């Protein structure tokens, strides 16, 4: 029950949920907002799993927000009247919403948070109809702003009209909604799904999908083909409902994405269509050897003592929401590899933002100069350390040296390496990552997002980069769609794509061999 309560809390199922642990996310790839600008609704606890890269603004279609006491949504008189409507009272322990009552227009939702969210959209999101002028210049060919012209006749107007089919404020008027209905139909069904999923998280039902299995038996093999085979072979409780599956994968996508690459049964391989390149096979084979060590005959008595390998270090750079994940979620990573141990290192200036009540930041002392927080009682196989600092500062201080390709790996969740608003902040970190010569895994929101990041890396470092895994769809992406409250046309799902690279290696050749 403690595990379930923790998962419910972190998904916004009581009071604030994720909003109590997370900070404002990075701007979308199609926006000109910076990290320090208002980039999302302050009243959306569900969107809290969007990742950040320190203070880096990010390439994200998934703009999400959080609620704070200091950030009250200012609404007009008519909107305030709607927000004052109280949700229907229910008996203690009874669900607020039944499974067939999840769809509600946001402004008429029985959930106060959803009505606040609708008010935020109506104050900040603009009508996407092409008759309105652009509010900013497009930043890439996929930007919805390409539909608008700077010479359009009508001034930008905030959204006011809620589509009756999806319940999301999408246009400034019913006339513009009807005139642009064909374009809206492309995303209307997904917007309705987002609406119902958000209400589901606040419905008060029992979430059996957040009950996680324990360690995997050594004799059982985890099938990493897709979500269905993974959940079955890991002995999760049967999830027969698509909505429950979407809610479960929203959290599990982070540890399982890492495990899917490091597993010896990874779906990413050297065969045709496997996307793994020869250099990637070299790097990942070293890590996979450590993750699947041979049996040594070790036992519990004195005769069973054997030397053990050090833990595999996974450096999560720019950690934000992933540092707030329930520790039972991170524990799924060592459960997939019964004979390996892990040290997950969360690094970023905002890796502990709004978590002071849970884990107060320690003082920086000579014995702990960077104020590291170490959680080493999660399971016998995993330890989590958090550094509220930029990686390049820690690298220069030699905190993690030396690096070993058999035991080390970097993970960048939606880093936005090539995004105009954040690329300059990665410029100092990138050379340091490449000089370690260990694999660097990165995710993205779209194919274009990843290709832009890859192009920036190659442009910055020239030929000093080896591509390990070709950019493509992540087998273990989140199945739950997310909505950008600043632009309801902008939807995405977390960790959609996956690719990998490392610093270029050179092989020594003898003069006589030339």
């Amino acid at each position: 029950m403690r595990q379930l309560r923790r998962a419910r809390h972190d998904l916004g199922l009581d009071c604030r949920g994720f909003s109590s642990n997370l900070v404002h996310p990075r701007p979308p790839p199609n926006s000109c907002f910076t990290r320090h600008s208002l980039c999302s609704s302050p009243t959306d606890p569900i969107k809290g799993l969007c990742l950040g890269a320190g203070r880096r603004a990010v390439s994200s279609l998934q703009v999400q927000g959080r609620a704070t006491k200091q950030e009250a949504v200012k609404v007009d008189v008519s909107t305030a009247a709607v927000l004052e409507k109280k949700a229907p009272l229910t008996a203690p322990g009874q669900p607020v919403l039944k499974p067939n009552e999840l769809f509600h227009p946001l402004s008429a939702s029985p959930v106060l948070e959803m009505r606040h969210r609708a008010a935020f959209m109506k104050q900040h999101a603009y009508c996407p109809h092409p008759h309105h002028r652009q509010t900013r210049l497009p930043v890439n060919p996929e930007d919805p702003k390409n539909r608008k012209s700077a010479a359009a006749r009508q001034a930008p107007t905030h959204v006011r009209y809620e589509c009756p089919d999806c319940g999301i404020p999408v246009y400034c008027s019913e006339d513009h909604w009807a005139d642009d209905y064909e374009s809206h139909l492309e995303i209307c069904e997904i917007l309705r799904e987002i609406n119902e999923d958000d209400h589901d998280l606040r419905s008060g039902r029992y979430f059996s999908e957040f009950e996680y299995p324990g360690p995997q038996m050594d004799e059982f093999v985890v099938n990493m083909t897709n979500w269905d085979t993974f959940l079955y072979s890991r002995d999760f409780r049967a999830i027969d409902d698509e909505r429950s599956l979407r809610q479960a994968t929203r959290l599990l996508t982070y540890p399982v994405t890492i495990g899917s690459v490091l597993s010896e049964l990874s779906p990413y391989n050297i065969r045709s269509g496997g996307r793994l390149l020869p250099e990637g096979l070299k790097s990942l084979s070293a890590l996979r050897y450590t993750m699947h060590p041979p049996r040594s005959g070790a036992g519990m008595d004195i005769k069973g003592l054997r030397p053990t390998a050090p833990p595999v270090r996974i450096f999560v750079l720019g950690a934000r929401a992933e540092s707030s994940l329930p520790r039972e979620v991170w524990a799924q990573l060592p459960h997939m590899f019964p004979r390996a141990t892990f040290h997950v290192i969360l690094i970023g200036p905002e890796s502990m933002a709004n978590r002071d009540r849970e884990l107060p930041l320690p003082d920086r002392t000579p014995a702990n100069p960077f104020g590291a927080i170490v959680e080493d009682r999660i399971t016998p196989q995993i330890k989590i350390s958090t550094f509220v600092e930029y990686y390049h500062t820690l690298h220069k201080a030699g905190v993690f040296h030396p690096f070993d390709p058999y035991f080390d790996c970097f993970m960048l969740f939606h880093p936005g390496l090539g995004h105009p608003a954040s690329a300059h902040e990665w410029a100092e970190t990138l050379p340091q990552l490449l000089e370690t010569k260990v694999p660097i895994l990165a995710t993205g929101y779209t194919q274009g997002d990843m290709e832009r990041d890859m192009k920036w890396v190659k442009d910055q470092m020239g030929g000093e980069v080896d591509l390990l895994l070709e950019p493509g769809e992540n087998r273990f992406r989140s199945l739950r769609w997310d909505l950008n409250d600043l632009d309801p046309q902008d939807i995405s799902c977390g960790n959609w794509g996956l690719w990998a690279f490392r610093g270029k290696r050179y092989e020594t050749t003898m003069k006589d061999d030339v």
Side-chain angles (χ1 to χ4, degrees):
M1 291 302 297
R2 183 180 65 178
Q3 172 178 313
L4 176 62
R5 288 196 298 270
R6 181 69 180 272
R8 287 167 60 87
H9 170 76
D10 285 83
L11 271 179
L13 299 176
D14 52 3
C15 299
R16 302 315 248 176
F18 273 131
S19 63
S20 64
N21 295 330
L22 302 174
V23 295
H24 281 299
R26 21 189 152 168
N30 300 330
S31 78
C32 58
F33 293 98
T34 65
R35 167 69 71 177
H36 304 289
S37 63
L38 181 60
C39 59
S40 180
S41 165
T43 60
D44 180 13
I46 301 308
K47 316 289 272 187
L49 277 177
C50 179
L51 303 177
R55 295 178 184 169
R56 299 177 175 89
V58 138
S59 148
S60 159
L61 291 171
Q62 229 178 341
V63 172
Q64 296 129 346
R66 58 172 245 85
T68 62
K69 295 180 181 179
Q70 295 80 16
E71 293 171 312
V73 177
K74 298 179 181 179
V75 296
D76 55 30
V77 176
S78 60
T79 306
V82 174
L83 297 181
E84 288 300 321
K85 296 179 181 178
K86 296 185 180 296
L89 297 177
T90 58
Q94 293 295 319
V96 177
L97 300 172
K98 297 180 180 179
N100 60 347
E101 299 175 348
L102 295 178
F103 175 74
H104 296 274
L106 294 191
S107 61
S109 170
V111 180
L112 180 61
E113 276 183 298
M114 303 302 288
R115 300 200 297 273
H116 275 294
R117 185 179 182 186
F120 181 89
M121 290 183 182
K122 292 179 179 181
Q123 288 189 318
H124 296 88
Y126 287 95
C127 177
H129 196 282
H131 287 176
H132 293 289
R133 292 192 294 271
Q134 295 175 342
T135 55
R136 59 175 175 78
L137 294 176
V139 296
N140 60 51
E142 299 175 355
D143 195 333
K145 296 300 180 183
N146 283 314
R147 299 181 62 233
K148 297 182 178 181
S149 170
R153 294 171 297 176
Q154 299 183 21
T157 306
H158 291 296
V159 296
R160 290 293 177 187
Y161 181 75
E162 290 180 334
C163 171
D165 297 324
C166 64
I168 305 293
V170 284
Y171 287 90
C172 63
S173 66
E174 185 176 0
D175 291 339
H176 275 191
W177 169 78
D179 185 53
D180 205 32
Y181 186 66
E182 184 176 350
S183 175
H184 177 65
L185 273 181
E186 297 177 2
I187 61 171
C188 186
E189 184 176 351
I190 297 178
L191 290 177
R192 184 185 179 102
E193 183 180 289
I194 294 172
N195 184 330
E196 294 180 352
D197 287 349
D198 285 351
H199 279 95
D200 178 55
L201 288 176
R202 298 166 174 84
S203 66
R205 70 175 176 90
Y206 181 80
F207 289 82
S208 60
E209 59 266 37
F210 300 138
E211 293 183 351
Y212 303 125
Q216 186 83 354
M217 290 185 65
D218 206 8
E219 293 77 11
F220 292 171
V221 176
V222 180
N223 190 325
M224 306 296 293
T225 303
N226 53 43
W227 275 118
D228 290 332
T229 60
F230 170 78
L231 295 175
Y232 177 77
S233 59
R234 272 290 291 124
D235 201 25
F236 277 77
R237 293 188 59 171
I239 301 178
D240 301 322
D241 180 61
E242 289 187 3
R243 178 168 293 111
S244 297
L245 182 61
R246 291 196 295 269
Q247 308 291 24
T249 60
R250 188 65 182 92
L251 295 181
L252 291 173
T253 180
Y254 299 102
V256 179
T257 293
I258 299 173
S260 67
V261 178
L262 303 184
S263 172
E264 63 181 359
L265 299 178
S266 170
Y268 311 108
N269 49 60
I270 200 68
R271 294 190 291 269
S272 176
R275 292 168 41 200
L276 188 65
L277 300 176
E279 288 299 323
L281 181 62
K282 296 177 184 178
S283 282
L284 295 181
S285 293
L287 274 169
R288 290 171 181 174
Y289 179 83
T290 305
M291 308 285 278
H292 303 275
R295 296 182 181 275
S296 61
M300 299 298 294
D301 56 3
I302 191 66
K303 295 182 179 179
L305 293 178
R306 299 289 187 277
T308 57
V312 175
R313 298 189 300 178
I314 299 177
F315 299 90
V316 182
L317 304 192
R320 299 189 69 205
E322 61 269 36
S323 66
S324 300
L325 285 175
R327 291 327 186 216
E328 292 83 357
V329 176
W330 276 116
Q332 295 304 303
L333 183 60
H335 289 345
M336 290 186 279
F337 305 94
R339 289 178 303 193
T341 56
F342 293 86
H343 185 188
V344 177
I345 304 172
L346 306 169
I347 302 173
E350 294 170 308
S351 58
M352 286 296 295
N354 301 300
R355 297 184 65 201
D356 292 347
R357 288 179 296 178
E358 178 185 355
L359 290 172
L361 290 177
D363 295 330
R364 300 198 175 196
T365 63
N368 186 13
F370 296 101
I373 300 172
V374 180
E375 303 169 66
D376 60 353
R377 303 292 182 182
I378 300 172
T379 75
Q381 290 180 270
I382 186 172
K383 177 173 71 172
I384 297 180
S385 298
T386 305
F387 289 83
V388 187
E389 188 57 83
Y390 282 109
Y391 172 77
H392 56 256
T393 302
L394 301 171
H395 186 93
K396 292 177 181 177
V399 175
F400 305 116
H401 286 69
F403 293 91
D404 191 323
Y406 279 84
F407 300 103
D408 296 326
C409 174
F410 289 98
M411 184 71 227
L412 315 179
F413 289 111
H414 312 110
L417 299 173
H419 192 276
S422 60
H424 67 284
E425 296 187 348
W426 283 103
E428 184 175 0
T429 300
L430 181 62
Q432 297 172 345
L433 297 181
L434 296 182
E435 76 177 26
T436 64
K437 309 299 182 184
V438 301
I440 305 167
L441 313 181
T443 63
Y445 289 100
T446 64
Q447 185 72 21
D449 184 19
M450 294 184 294
E451 291 177 353
R452 181 193 59 201
D453 288 353
M454 184 173 64
K455 181 179 182 300
W456 181 84
V457 170
K458 291 182 176 179
D459 291 344
Q460 289 290 312
M461 303 306 299
E464 297 301 313
V465 178
D466 282 331
L467 187 63
L468 308 183
L469 182 67
E470 294 178 342
E473 184 173 355
N474 178 12
R475 296 282 189 97
F476 294 95
R477 67 176 179 86
S478 169
L479 300 181
R480 186 179 182 277
W481 290 92
D482 293 299
L483 175 66
N484 177 358
D485 290 353
L486 291 177
D487 184 0
Q489 309 296 313
D490 187 1
I491 56 178
S492 67
C493 56
N495 297 329
W496 181 89
L498 178 66
W499 65 295
F501 63 101
R502 70 144 198 259
K504 192 173 186 63
R505 289 181 180 174
Y506 293 92
E507 296 183 3
T508 303
T509 57
M510 303 299 293
K511 183 176 180 180
D512 296 339
D513 297 336
V514 178

